[in-house]
Amino acid sequence: MTTDLPAGALPWLHDVGRMIGRWGFRPAFRIRVHGIERVPRTGPVVLVANHSSMLEPQLIFGMLPRRSVFLVKQEMFRGIAGRGLRAIGQVPVKRGEPDRTPLLTAVDVLNGGGLVGVFPEGTRGEGNVAVAEQGAAWLVRSTGATVLPVATRGTRRPEGARRRFRPRVDMMVGEPFDLAVGRGRTGLIEATEQIRVRLAGLVDELDEQRKRNQ
């Protein structure tokens, strides 16, 4: 029985979706992936990533060497697209509202040895991880999962820039790390800041690498 996807997901369709995510964007972008060997192949993992466009979730989903379940904003789960997202095992989240249902679904996936992806910034922006929400830390405290930071750059068109022809997109996987999350709200706040600092540092590292390789 498959335990790395939520109940009701179709593993075969999930794997087809991964193939589309891996190859579907290559005609439009020059994609470079760094550090993919750092992804733990087994065991519970909470992946945290920066977020500046709609492309990051699809790109990471496709490039990872294992199945992944992402927490996705509720607005995406409409019509055929929404049914498709559920079928490949993605989990809807209501932004700005207290709702433990998606987190409990994610806990089940992690307890089954799966990988859950979270965008701690909560919404698209500059992608520099200046702020972070506490969901990732809560999942780590609830399951003991390893944290895996992933940074992506190049997906967002700079303000005022013209349409780009096959822009370079870089995805960098950081070193996985274990995180002890203390009790109560204070524990979540402290652990969230540790996650934010690690992820922001990886984004800075990728920015520097992209400058050197221009």
Side-chain angles (χ1 to χ4, degrees):
M1 181 176 67
T2 300
T3 58
D4 55 359
L5 296 176
L10 302 175
W12 69 268
L13 188 58
H14 180 99
D15 293 339
V16 169
R18 288 175 60 202
M19 290 295 293
I20 294 172
R22 181 170 300 176
W23 300 108
F25 298 105
R26 290 189 182 275
F29 299 93
R30 292 174 290 137
I31 299 172
R32 301 180 184 182
V33 181
H34 316 271
I36 199 67
E37 71 280 355
R38 296 171 178 163
V39 178
R41 296 309 196 262
T42 60
V45 173
V46 172
L47 182 153
V48 291
N50 65 322
H51 197 18
S52 57
S53 81
M54 292 294 291
L55 181 60
E56 286 103 357
Q58 302 169 69
L59 180 65
I60 297 171
F61 177 81
M63 295 299 171
L64 289 176
R66 59 182 290 188
R67 290 171 176 165
S68 59
V69 173
F70 279 83
L71 302 183
V72 182
K73 64 179 182 179
Q74 177 73 47
E75 293 86 342
M76 298 295 294
F77 288 78
R78 295 174 179 167
I80 295 176
R83 291 196 292 273
L85 286 171
R86 291 182 187 276
I88 63 173
Q90 307 311 289
V91 179
V93 177
K94 297 177 182 178
R95 294 185 300 181
E97 298 182 27
D99 184 6
R100 286 209 165 193
T101 300
L103 291 178
L104 294 177
T105 299
V107 165
D108 287 342
V109 171
L110 291 167
N111 285 337
L115 183 151
V116 171
V118 179
F119 294 96
E121 292 165 290
T123 188
R124 299 192 306 275
E126 295 294 328
N128 56 6
V129 204
V131 297
E133 297 182 354
Q134 297 175 8
W138 187 89
L139 289 173
V140 172
R141 183 167 68 182
S142 300
T143 63
T146 295
V147 183
L148 181 68
V150 175
T152 307
R153 284 302 207 191
T155 60
R156 181 176 181 175
R157 187 194 307 180
E159 294 292 335
R162 296 180 179 179
R163 185 175 182 85
R164 304 172 297 170
F165 176 73
R166 294 198 76 229
R168 193 180 86 208
V169 172
D170 289 277
M171 171 181 154
M172 177 177 282
V173 179
E175 292 288 347
F177 63 96
D178 293 324
L179 181 64
V181 184
R183 295 182 178 180
R185 182 174 175 80
T186 299
L188 285 178
I189 292 173
E190 292 175 350
T192 297
E193 179 61 11
Q194 292 182 60
I195 291 172
R196 188 198 69 77
V197 168
R198 288 272 196 137
L199 181 54
L202 186 66
V203 172
D204 289 342
E205 179 183 345
L206 181 54
D207 284 341
E208 288 299 317
Q209 184 181 103
R210 283 169 59 85
K211 288 178 183 177
R212 292 194 302 267
N213 296 332
Q214 281 182 346

